[in-house]
Amino acid sequence: MKEASPAPPLRLTGLDPIVSDRTVVLVLGSFPGGRSLAERQYYAHPQNHFWKILQAIWPDHPLPAGADSYPARRAWLLERGLGLWDVYAACEREGSLDSAIRNGEANDIAGLALPRLAAIAHNGGESFKHARHTQGLGVPVYRLPSSSAANASWTFERKHDAWRDVFLKHGLL
């Protein structure tokens, strides 16, 4: 009897960008994790430090909380001059780790119309692998420490300080 071949990995599609004509710094992740894809929300896993880092940077502007707070969080990001997207539009991946990403299809970052864009900040190493493309946009490009809890080599305080420095350089604080 012939053994069945394994099913090919599922092709996953990412999330739409969160940007506006007020976006000054575009933060680029790699690709949403499983929970973020399921909830259709960036950084939905409570262990990810993304939202915690931003709240610590802007302590006088509380992040909206609660089950239905995502639209308000999107607005909160835009009010701070931030944009958010990923380098991959789609990929094959089992689990949520960047190291499992296969056959990634890049987003058209250059196609975004962002008249005030002053910098691009890559959230972690996998995203930063695409810096050669984003550097062509004519703005400074930074590698931020990953906000993932899996990035245990950086303390929360070190992550916070690195992210804050980039936002400070571009007038967001």
Side-chain angles (χ1 to χ4, degrees):
M1 178 163 212
K2 191 175 180 182
E3 230 178 275
S5 59
L10 288 178
R11 186 95 181 140
L12 305 171
T13 302
L15 304 175
D16 291 334
I18 300 173
V19 294
S20 77
D21 59 0
R22 298 177 299 178
T23 297
V24 174
V25 175
L26 177 62
V27 176
L28 292 173
S30 54
F31 191 77
R35 183 149 179 188
S36 292
L37 288 174
E39 295 184 21
R40 305 303 297 166
Q41 299 181 11
Y42 283 101
Y43 302 102
H45 198 288
Q47 296 301 317
N48 192 292
H49 294 152
F50 177 81
W51 295 108
K52 294 171 188 153
I53 290 169
L54 295 184
Q55 182 61 87
I57 292 171
W58 284 282
D60 295 336
H61 302 277
L63 267 165
D68 297 326
S69 66
Y70 189 67
R73 283 180 178 234
R74 290 170 50 104
W76 187 95
L77 280 173
L78 296 173
E79 288 167 9
R80 310 274 89 67
L82 296 175
L84 186 58
W85 208 14
D86 289 308
V87 295
Y88 295 117
C91 68
E92 295 169 0
R93 185 187 65 204
E94 290 186 32
S96 292
L97 295 177
D98 284 351
S99 60
I101 292 173
R102 301 287 180 264
N103 300 315
E105 173 191 330
N107 270 317
D108 180 17
I109 297 160
L112 292 174
L114 303 174
R116 295 184 60 204
L117 185 66
I120 292 177
H122 289 273
N123 183 358
E126 182 65 29
S127 173
F128 192 71
K129 288 178 182 177
H130 295 264
R132 67 186 181 280
H133 302 296
T134 56
Q135 287 168 340
L137 299 177
V139 297
V141 174
Y142 301 92
R143 178 181 178 166
L144 294 174
S146 173
S147 63
S148 170
N151 180 18
S153 64
W154 284 69
T155 65
F156 178 84
E157 291 75 21
R158 282 184 65 210
K159 290 177 187 181
H160 165 272
D161 292 348
W163 284 61
R164 186 181 188 284
D165 286 350
V166 169
F167 299 155
L168 186 61
K169 283 180 187 173
H170 295 283
L172 299 183
L173 299 173

